[in-house]
Structures are given as structure tokens and as C-alpha cells.
Amino acid sequence: MRLLPPAPGGPRRNQPGHLRPCGPALLLLLLLLLGGCLGASRAAAGSRRPNVVLLLTDDQDEVLGGMTPLKKTKALIGEMGMTFSSAYVPSALCCPSRASILTGKYPHNHHVVNNTLEGNCSSKSWQKIQEPNTFPAILRSMCGYQTFFAGKYLNEYGAPDAGGLEHVPLGWSYWYALEKNSKYYNYTLSINGKARKHGENYSVDYLTDVLANISLGFLDYKSNSEPFFMMISTPAPHSPWTAAPQYQKTFQNVFAPRNKNFNIHGTNKHWLIRQAKTPMTNSSIQFLDNAFRKRWQTLLSVDDLVEKLVKRLEFNGELNNTYIFYTSDNGYHTGQFSLPIDKRQLYEFDIKVPLLVRGPGIKPNQTSKMLVANIDLGPTILDIAGYNLNKTQMDGMSLLPILKGARNLTWRSDVLVEYQGEGRDVTDPTCPSLSPGVSQCFPDCVCEDAYNNTYACVRTMSARWNLQYCEFDDQEVFVEVYNLTADPDQITNIAKSIDPELLGKMNYRLMMLQSCSGPTCRTPGVFDPGYRFDPRLMFSNQGSVRTRRFSKHPL
């Protein structure tokens, strides 16, 4: 397909805004004017800066086998590069997590707290304050990259109160964005600010395939004088789980995993988990099994997309100079602790995601156990482009030294996970026996969220410890702690049995991370040799552990 003109404000060929090939001296001068996206010696040598592709799926878990259907993706990206076995999101919900990817910041710094305009999802405030400082905007304005986006952006993108589909975020040369949330048919795309409706004809409308074709078109018709960045954001495996026709009968004998925390009561957990009915009804189990199967079916088209993309890059002679990242915006659960289907919870199945990377200088068949988060993607991609990360206010760290096999690397031992629950302060009419404020309720009154399902966690890993410490903002000031070495399914909350001194240190570390910004988000964690702890900061006159309270209002 022929690529449409760039987004308004983006480069146009044969016009002053479009970069042309230039000699080493002019290239060096240009790079210095753009902010020094490459070291002088490399720029003077005239070497071509790497391209970058970021593939982002929607609600794809890692813990419950979410990568199993993606055989081509694992072979073409994972086996040809590095797989991260400990990759996390700072918030297990689409819009806050996607905002963290784009900004390299924790939710308390980008202020997107849920999927609504009121929660700052694609709001006017987001557009004014955060969008100009996203890593694609920096790549475009400071590093001279062509930037291409296709797929789901943020859940409220295209809302009339947020500028409609005419709004094209700063920094994107080519813009093909889905209006609002994931769909497969009957959707509208913003094509560089102009609406294009799609129907339900598979050959021309199935969104995953449309994104593949648009992306291949970009690779064929882009400028060859600039490096490029592509972000392809598929609807799969998000609901409504509509698979391509050729895949709708696959995985007929597949069921949601019956792991140790499947369909058991969430004893000693937050009240929202405790309210789930155990055992689940037969209808709920049938529903989640069907959802699990359909989710896998939708991912087969993503697998095809990845194969087409890699083959086209290879055919065009660009594969060896291109980094390809594959990840998801959050995990997902299907029956764990008797919660039928959703995300939003603090447990591994919701906050842990796949992350596979291949590219120049990355050895094949590598697995990294380093603790990483999606706030690291922006810094990593800017680092690949040669941008000085000290000029950003990002909370994350560049993964490039890990990808290149650096030894004796000083790395973090913890990351922050934070979530502000959604729900109205009224009783759900379908579940009058439950307290006000619940949401995402199933017919049997099992609710997946509530306005006070508001928590923050420190997920920490070191040579000796594999822990998660969480606090809730509710009347209980509830605390959950898990030792994932002994209890990987997070069944036993050890908050009341763990060493009080360690509990205090984790509490203090959580307070520090919740107020961190930029470099302070990368200070030593509790199990780092450089960690400093003053126990006097942790205890009130009554001798109880002091906990940090959360705001009950959107940030």
C-alpha cells in the first residue's frame, strides 16, 4: 500500500522540513544543533543511526502462558536476541501503563491514574504537559527520526472533549491511531488527523491485519535519509477477543491454567479479593475458559504481523540495523483467587509482562533476570538514538548496557507499582449487598475494581530476596507482603509474620518511591549495599509503623 502524507507538522519530502542526505561535516553540525543525539566521533564517521520498532500488545500476560501461541515471535525476536524474565508495569491498567511507556515516568509523575478523561487519560492536560516530552517527540525534534504510530494510543484518544480525532500528538511524522479502546471491526482511525471508518469485512477491516499492512507500507515508502522509529500497538488480546476467521477454531482443547491460585479464596488479602465467591460458578468458569481460548486466537494474527514485519525489514536490508522490542501494557488473570477476568490487581499475573528485544550488538538466545519496567523503554530507545538521558526527567533506566552484555553492571533492585481504583461512590444496583464504589462487576456480583482498590507496592529482587510489599489506601490501611521464592503464586500474605524491621524498611522505601522523580527513582533499594535507613523516620510516638496515605482524587 502507498503511505499517506505525514501528519501535520511532520516532514514532507522535498520541503525544508524533510532531512536530506548530507556529508559527515554537515551531519555533525546538524546533530549538534538537534541536541547531540550521537557522539561526535560516530557522527563524523557518518555511520547510520539504528532504527527502532516497538510492538505493543494489549492485556497480554506473561505468567499464565500469554506467549505460548506466539511461536514466530519467540523465534524471530526472542531467540534472535534477549528475553527479560522479570519485566513489570508500574500500573496494571492500559492508559496509565501506556503513559508510562511514552513518558518513561511512574504514574505519580505523569498523573494518568485510570482509563477516563477525568483520570487524565488523553486529556487536554496530558496533551499540554506530557505529550511534548514523550520519547517519540524527543526522537523527532532532537534526533531527526521519522516517527510512525499505528494502533491503540490511549483509551480516551479521539474523545470530543480531548480534541477529537483531529488531534495528532507532537512528535509523530505519521499517525494512524485508533479512536478510543481496542476493537477488531467497526472502528475509526485518525489518519494524520482525518477520520477513516472501517466496517466488518475481514479482508480490509480486521484491525491487526490493517496495522500490519500500514506498517509495511511505511517501510516501503518512508525516507531513506533518516532513521525511523515505529510503534505498532495491536488490539490483541484485549476484549472483545475477535479472532481472524482462519483462527477461530484453534485451541479448542485449551483451558485457562489451573495453577495453585486458581479458583481459591483470597484469604488474608484486601477486601476486594476476599469478596470473590469461591468456588466460582460453572458459568463463570466456562466464560473465563472461553475468554482464555479466544485471547490466544487473536494473538495468532499478531504473530503473523511480526513475521511480515521482520521479513520486510530483512528484504529492505534494514533488519541488521534495527532494534525490535515486543511487550504488553499489562498482564491479565483468568480465575486466580476466584476473580473471573481482568487486570488491575497487584499480583504477578497482572503486573508482569513479556519483553523480548533483538537488534545490533545483542547476542541471540539470551535471557536476562534483571528487574526491568516499562518506564525503561523510553530511556533505552533514546539511548539507542544517542540522546543524552540527563536532559530528560524520566524515571526509568536505559536497558542498552544489559542488551549489549555489560558486566559488573550496577542495577536497581526494586520497582514501584501503583494504582488508583475506579468506581463511583454509590451502590451497584445489580449488587445491592456490596458496599458503594465497586465496579467491573460480573453477574454473580464478583467485582474486579472499586474506588478504594487503591494501592502501592515495592516489587524487589536481589540475590537473597524476592519480595513484594503493598499498602492499600482504605480504612484497614491493609498491607500485603509476599515471599515469591517460597510462594510464587502469592497465596500466603506474610505481613504479620515478617521481621518488623524489614517491614519498616519496605514501608519507608515505598514512601520514597511514591514521591520520587527522575534520578531519585533510581536510588538504592532496601537490599542494595548503598541503602541508608533511619528507623526514627518510621515510627510514631505510639510505636506503630507509619504508612503513607494516598490521594483519593485523580492526580
Side-chain angles (χ1 to χ4, degrees):
M1 67 171 289
R2 182 168 293 279
L3 192 70
L4 293 179
R12 282 173 168 76
R13 299 187 188 189
N14 303 318
Q15 293 188 12
H18 186 82
L19 299 180
R20 297 183 177 89
C22 52
L26 183 56
L27 177 60
L28 176 57
L29 176 61
L30 178 61
L31 288 169
L32 291 173
L33 291 173
L34 288 172
C37 281
L38 265 184
S41 60
R42 186 173 172 190
S47 59
R48 179 69 181 266
R49 286 170 291 164
N51 310 305
V52 183
V53 177
L54 173 58
L55 295 154
L56 179 65
T57 54
D58 197 345
D59 287 1
Q60 184 181 359
D61 68 275
E62 193 274 339
V63 171
L64 300 176
M67 283 299 297
T68 303
L70 292 153
K71 291 181 170 53
K72 300 172 186 175
T73 300
K74 288 188 289 186
L76 293 170
I77 303 179
E79 293 176 15
M80 297 303 295
M82 181 173 289
T83 298
F84 287 86
S85 60
S86 301
Y88 290 85
V89 294
S91 188
L93 189 63
C94 296
C95 204
S97 181
R98 288 165 182 266
S100 287
I101 291 173
L102 291 164
T103 63
K105 297 178 181 178
Y106 283 120
H108 69 265
N109 286 327
H110 61 59
H111 307 304
V112 178
V113 296
N114 56 42
N115 288 342
T116 67
L117 280 176
E118 295 76 16
N120 203 29
C121 181
S122 203
S123 69
K124 289 286 189 179
S125 174
W126 157 266
Q127 294 170 15
K128 179 180 179 181
I129 298 172
Q130 300 297 339
E131 280 186 346
N133 298 304
T134 61
F135 78 84
I138 297 172
L139 282 176
R140 179 69 225 152
S141 64
M142 304 302 291
C143 302
Y145 271 65
Q146 301 171 86
T147 52
F148 166 93
F149 182 88
K152 176 179 172 179
Y153 178 57
L154 301 175
N155 295 59
E156 285 297 322
Y157 173 75
D161 291 342
L165 294 173
E166 294 80 13
H167 172 68
V168 177
L170 286 174
W172 295 102
S173 313
Y174 300 91
W175 182 252
Y176 301 81
L178 176 68
E179 181 182 30
K180 296 195 173 180
N181 208 356
S182 284
K183 290 184 177 180
Y184 299 82
Y185 295 109
N186 298 309
Y187 55 86
T188 302
L189 292 178
S190 170
I191 310 295
N192 296 330
K194 295 183 179 180
R196 175 185 288 176
K197 293 185 179 295
H198 281 260
E200 50 188 24
N201 181 338
Y202 168 71
S203 63
V204 294
D205 296 316
Y206 188 70
L207 182 55
T208 306
D209 291 353
V210 168
L211 298 180
N213 292 334
I214 292 173
S215 301
L216 297 180
F218 169 77
L219 291 176
D220 288 343
Y221 292 101
K222 63 177 174 57
S223 165
N224 290 323
S225 63
E226 302 168 310
F228 62 82
F229 167 70
M230 301 177 71
M231 184 171 178
I232 307 167
S233 181
T234 73
H238 195 286
S239 62
W241 315 307
T242 309
Q246 66 270 30
Y247 295 133
Q248 290 179 359
K249 293 186 179 181
T250 57
F251 307 124
Q252 291 303 302
N253 296 320
V254 169
F255 301 90
R258 268 47 171 180
N259 53 351
K260 290 183 179 179
N261 54 23
F262 179 83
N263 200 15
I264 67 169
H265 188 260
T267 306
N268 294 322
K269 286 178 169 48
H270 182 231
W271 74 268
L272 186 65
I273 308 300
R274 298 197 303 264
Q275 58 86 32
K277 293 179 173 62
T278 307
M280 289 184 287
T281 62
N282 289 336
S283 60
S284 287
I285 292 177
Q286 291 174 2
F287 178 77
L288 69 86
D289 277 337
N290 190 47
F292 187 90
R293 189 176 303 114
K294 288 184 174 181
R295 282 163 49 80
W296 273 22
Q297 291 170 354
T298 66
L299 285 169
L300 293 176
S301 292
V302 177
D303 213 29
D304 292 340
L305 183 158
V306 171
E307 181 183 41
K308 293 173 185 175
L309 189 75
V310 171
K311 285 186 175 180
R312 187 62 56 89
L313 286 166
E314 186 173 27
F315 180 80
N316 292 351
E318 295 176 310
L319 182 60
N320 290 337
N321 194 39
T322 301
Y323 288 89
I324 305 177
F325 294 75
Y326 182 97
T327 191
S328 173
D329 58 1
N330 49 254
Y332 208 72
H333 59 257
T334 47
Q336 283 62 46
F337 303 122
S338 299
L339 297 174
I341 57 164
D342 198 49
K343 49 261 186 172
R344 307 168 203 259
Q345 307 306 331
L346 58 89
Y347 308 104
E348 292 284 283
F349 41 73
D350 284 357
I351 64 173
K352 193 173 184 181
V353 293
L355 177 57
L356 289 65
V357 191
R358 68 171 290 173
I362 305 176
K363 294 180 180 179
N365 288 308
Q366 299 293 303
T367 298
S368 173
K369 297 181 180 179
M370 292 292 200
L371 180 60
V372 302
N374 70 10
I375 57 172
D376 300 329
L377 294 174
T380 303
I381 293 169
L382 290 177
D383 197 11
I384 288 170
Y387 187 72
N388 182 356
L389 298 181
N390 292 327
K391 295 183 178 181
T392 75
Q393 292 299 312
M394 294 182 174
D395 304 331
M397 304 170 66
S398 172
L399 305 177
L400 194 54
I402 298 176
L403 294 171
K404 292 293 186 74
R407 297 175 180 246
N408 301 318
L409 184 66
T410 300
W411 196 251
R412 68 158 71 90
S413 64
D414 58 24
V415 293
L416 174 68
V417 179
E418 49 190 349
Y419 177 67
Q420 185 165 299
E422 290 185 74
R424 295 181 301 157
D425 199 8
V426 295
T427 301
D428 188 323
T430 63
C431 303
S433 63
L434 295 178
S435 302
V438 295
S439 64
Q440 311 295 320
C441 297
F442 282 79
D444 48 5
C445 288
V446 175
C447 300
E448 295 275 3
D449 204 6
Y451 75 92
N452 68 343
N453 180 37
T454 296
Y455 59 82
C457 305
V458 178
R459 182 69 178 89
T460 185
M461 291 183 183
S462 70
R464 292 184 54 221
W465 294 97
N466 187 5
L467 292 177
Q468 185 177 27
Y469 172 92
C470 302
E471 295 178 8
F472 282 84
D473 178 28
D474 56 16
Q475 292 180 344
E476 296 179 278
V477 193
F478 200 77
V479 176
E480 295 188 30
V481 183
Y482 298 97
N483 178 351
L484 283 97
T485 301
D487 179 24
D489 296 292
Q490 296 171 288
I491 294 171
T492 305
N493 178 8
I494 60 172
K496 294 182 179 179
S497 60
I498 197 170
D499 182 350
E501 181 179 354
L502 178 55
L503 196 70
K505 288 182 178 181
M506 296 298 292
N507 173 265
Y508 180 51
R509 180 62 178 163
L510 178 61
M511 290 197 299
M512 291 177 63
L513 285 174
Q514 282 192 280
S515 58
C516 76
S517 178
T520 60
C521 297
R522 306 188 290 272
T523 54
V526 170
F527 300 106
D528 289 337
Y531 179 75
R532 296 294 179 264
F533 172 62
D534 184 352
R536 293 173 296 181
L537 298 174
M538 297 308 308
F539 297 94
S540 67
N541 293 334
Q542 288 74 34
S544 60
V545 174
R546 179 164 62 89
T547 57
R548 184 180 192 273
R549 300 297 289 176
F550 302 75
S551 167
K552 283 186 173 15
H553 306 286
L555 298 172

